[in-house]
Amino acid sequence: SGSMDSCLMIWSMRPQMRAYRFVGHKDAVMCVQFSPSGHLVASGSRDKTVRLWVPSVKGESTVFKAHTATVRSVHFSSDGQSLVTASDDKTVKVWTVHRQKFLFSLSQHINWVRCARFSPDGRLIVSASDDKTVKLWDKTSRECIHSFCEHGGFVNHVDFHPSGTCIAAAGTDNTVKVWDVRMNRLLQHYQGNAVVNSLSFHPSGNYLVTASNDSTLKILDLLEGRLLYTLHGHQGPATCVAFSRAGDLFASGGSDEQVMVWKTNFDAADYGDVLKTQKSGTSVDGTHHTL
């Protein structure tokens, strides 16, 4: 987890195990992510740098000057070879992980970029911005292949569905929108009553968890297109949320200085069925929903 206290914390999920505090950033840590192998952690900060940490007792890190403004988002490609970063300098940048070498910049946004993610196959990049657009980029050609513009507010967060066929975007207009990236059409639209700060797809692709300014987390059932649960726990805006790789847990962070870990109660038997149907190429479909 990262925090306004400029520290990175690595928490052990085992009982009675200590957490490690890693110090290095000179300002608030805005984003963190483990590499796919778990051997590295990337963090982005208001100090304009990105750090790559070895999550060991010593917690050594390398630092690189990534942007000319706050770094809001860091994300590893699924092969762990590349890193995509997004910043208030209005750019998205792609780096090689091992040499921390800058590869290229994507610069068509006209306001702060809040979030950038690689697609599961690493061929596409999606970015979300305060210019009210979500842009889809081809990593090879480095061109913007589509702009989704139907947002009534800034776009705080965006991510790919595990199948890579659609994306979900969270906005300051209190909505979550799910778009098909093959046909560039809106599949689902969830209207809430508070700014949505973050979201995460369950590994099965069936559920989406969101974190909102009204302090709640919401679990959406994407197959049925409806709200399943509203979870109360944070004492203030819930700022980030993410499912674990196995999908049995999810973690949330808030402006109440708390990190909470939640256990899911989805039927594990369903996962296998879901993953099978996804491999056969079925897609999520639905229309407008109200939370």
Side-chain angles (χ1 to χ4, degrees), residues 1-8 25-33 42-51 53 69-74 86-88 112-115 117 156-157 197-198 239-241:
S1 59
S3 161
M4 293 294 173
D5 63 9
S6 310
C7 293
L8 180 78
H25 281 297
K26 307 283 189 287
D27 205 337
V29 180
M30 310 303 287
C31 49
V32 293
Q33 201 210 7
S43 59
S45 167
R46 205 185 269 160
D47 67 11
K48 308 174 191 172
T49 68
V50 167
R51 280 181 181 262
W53 309 78
T70 297
V71 183
R72 297 250 170 215
S73 170
V74 289
S87 165
D88 288 2
W112 294 0
V113 189
R114 297 262 172 189
C115 185
R117 294 283 186 267
N156 283 331
H157 197 94
N197 294 312
S198 178
T239 51
C240 55
V241 66

Side-chain angles (χ1 to χ4, degrees), residues 204 206 267-280 282:
S204 69
N206 275 6
D267 187 355
D270 292 347
Y271 295 178
D273 300 342
V274 170
L275 293 167
K276 278 192 211 101
T277 56
Q278 266 175 4
K279 287 193 182 96
S280 67
T282 54

